[in-house]
Amino acid sequence: MTETTTTSPATARGRDRLPGKALFGLFLAGFIGILTECLPAGLLPEISRTLHTSVAATGQIVTIYAAATALAAIPLSRLTAKWSRKTVLQVALGTVAITNALTALSTDYTLTMVIRFVAGLGTALVWTQLAGYAARLSPPSVQGRAIAIALAGTPISLALGVPVGTWLSTFGGWQTAFWVSAALSVLNMLWFVVNLANLSGQAGHERFTLRQVLAMPGLRTILFALTTYMVAHNILYTYVTDFLRFAGMESQAGWVLFAFGVTSVLSVGVVGAHIDHHLRKLIVASTLLFAVSVLVLAVLSGVPALVYLAAAAWGLAFGSSPSLFIGGAITATAEAADVAQSIVISFFSGSIALGGLVGGLLIASLGTASITWASLVLLVFAAVAVVGGRRHAFPRGA
């Protein structure tokens, strides 16, 4: 096993370059986490037949996963604070691998819900490690870029992972996609054995309480902006096919989502190249571009070309937004970054569940058009927080 260290291996050797192999492993772990969370979304009819439940009930295996991640991120992060970081990741990935395999084997709805809850616990541990691990392994001058690479698995998994998983199901049923996801998790663990340096956990005197971290200047502003931004996104993204049906573009849903996915992936390159020197400008641009995109969808949904353009702009704005918010939290909390990350992940995952819930209530009570206006209002609040957080949350020059 690689010797445990509390300093950046790259810095210690005087290298001003990224630890590529380690970052690829972290990227893959994030990809698998989002894939495991969202995979059922493209397979609900098939899974519902196996579990002998309705599609609506089966959809709750996505909700319970996100809820478990949101609820467990902070307590599990605290529980494993003294463990070596590599051990935490290996345990988390092992949990994901086992639960994906068990999901493929299960034919009982209640059992599947329990399995998915446990899978969410594993992903909670994965997500609390990625950004901090990437930052600690990299020289200070490229830490932002390292975080962006480690978290790039989110947009790429959303853009490619779920469609590919759905395609894999054609070769042996929906279970095939989960078996492949389990296999990827095992391969990821083996990659870490060879290519990931082992970093120590936190000693007792280095640990911060949640109250201390939440009181740090800027963090609460970041959490408010993150929540409003992500709930707005998930209101729209969860019900995007229903919105496209409302806009008369139901048959083009695949292509609209493709446009969103392509620009989400492109955003990884854009943000990765500039995040170390222009974090504030990027987060402001992301929030404003997203808001303008939603405004176009709200007002001009009857013009297909503009819907495509708005979806592409939305993808470009959203793609690397987790990197921007987490990067801001790490900068604002410095030595308490590990605790801050667990808080951010809880808010991030909670926003997924909350967005789906709020969107469903809006459609049921006010109609499909209401989701664009609700998202726009939330993004206005996010923009005010981001633009106004120039002192601590998203400082000038960051």
Side-chain angles (χ1 to χ4, degrees):
M1 180 178 290
T2 307
E3 183 180 353
T4 299
T5 179
T6 57
T7 60
S8 165
T11 302
R13 290 192 296 268
R15 297 178 180 174
D16 191 28
R17 61 186 178 87
L18 293 168
K21 291 181 179 179
L23 290 179
F24 173 77
L26 295 173
F27 159 86
L28 184 57
F31 179 92
I32 292 168
I34 289 294
L35 177 65
T36 301
E37 178 170 349
C38 298
L39 195 57
L43 304 168
L44 287 180
E46 296 86 348
I47 297 175
S48 67
R49 285 193 290 270
T50 299
L51 301 181
H52 307 292
T53 56
S54 67
V55 170
T58 305
Q60 300 313 303
I61 68 176
V62 178
T63 303
I64 197 169
Y65 186 104
T69 303
L71 292 171
I74 293 174
L76 286 182
S77 179
R78 303 293 284 177
L79 181 65
T80 60
K82 293 184 178 181
W83 297 13
S84 73
R85 302 298 84 189
K86 189 171 182 177
T87 299
V88 173
L89 271 178
Q90 294 290 56
V91 169
L93 284 169
T95 301
V96 171
I98 292 170
T99 50
N100 273 329
L102 291 175
T103 300
L105 292 170
S106 176
T107 58
D108 180 80
Y109 178 72
T110 302
L111 177 60
T112 299
M113 289 286 281
V114 172
I115 293 169
R116 290 285 293 175
F117 184 85
V118 177
L121 302 183
T123 301
L125 277 177
V126 170
W127 276 101
T128 56
Q129 300 305 311
L130 298 182
Y133 219 131
R136 290 176 67 185
L137 286 172
S138 305
S141 61
V142 290
Q143 283 182 348
R145 190 179 306 173
I147 292 170
I149 293 171
L151 297 179
T154 298
I156 293 179
S157 186
L158 287 172
L160 303 177
V162 174
V164 169
T166 304
W167 171 73
L168 284 171
S169 69
T170 62
F171 292 94
W174 64 267
Q175 294 90 343
T176 303
F178 281 88
W179 283 118
V180 171
S181 184
L184 277 176
S185 301
V186 173
L187 290 174
N188 199 176
M189 294 174 70
L190 295 175
W191 182 271
F192 280 156
V193 169
V194 178
N195 297 300
L196 188 67
N198 195 19
L199 304 180
S200 67
Q202 296 173 302
H205 67 278
E206 297 175 320
R207 298 176 66 181
F208 292 81
T209 66
L210 292 177
R211 181 176 297 180
Q212 287 173 325
V213 177
L214 286 170
M216 290 182 173
L219 182 60
R220 283 174 290 187
T221 300
I222 293 170
L223 293 174
F224 177 80
L226 166 71
T227 301
T228 49
Y229 186 108
M230 291 299 171
V231 171
H233 165 76
N234 284 290
I235 286 174
L236 276 177
Y237 193 78
T238 303
Y239 298 98
V240 66
T241 53
D242 192 62
F243 172 79
L244 292 173
R245 178 196 56 76
F246 166 80
M249 298 177 62
E250 185 175 11
S251 63
Q252 301 178 57
W255 288 110
V256 173
L257 290 173
F258 178 75
F260 172 89
V262 167
T263 52
S264 293
V265 175
L266 289 176
S267 74
V268 174
V270 174
V271 170
H274 300 287
I275 190 172
D276 286 299
H277 304 292
H278 302 290
L279 174 63
R280 175 176 172 78
K281 291 179 181 177
L282 287 170
I283 192 65
V284 170
S286 172
T287 307
L288 295 179
L289 180 60
F290 188 6
V292 171
S293 303
V294 175
L295 179 62
V296 171
L297 291 175
V299 177
L300 300 168
S301 61
V303 184
L306 292 179
V307 172
Y308 274 100
L309 183 62
W314 172 17
L316 187 63
F318 173 78
S320 283
S321 55
S323 302
L324 298 174
F325 284 110
I326 293 177
I330 289 175
T331 300
T333 57
E335 66 273 17
D338 281 351
V339 179
Q341 286 174 81
S342 67
I343 298 172
V344 170
I345 296 306
S346 286
F347 276 72
F348 182 88
S349 299
S351 297
I352 295 175
L354 184 59
L357 174 62
V358 171
L361 293 174
L362 285 170
I363 291 173
S365 59
L366 299 175
T368 301
S370 66
I371 63 175
T372 53
W373 293 108
S375 295
L376 183 59
V377 170
L378 288 169
L379 288 168
V380 169
F381 284 117
V384 170
V386 167
V387 174
R390 63 176 61 88
R391 184 174 182 184
H392 297 295
F394 305 103
R396 295 182 184 276

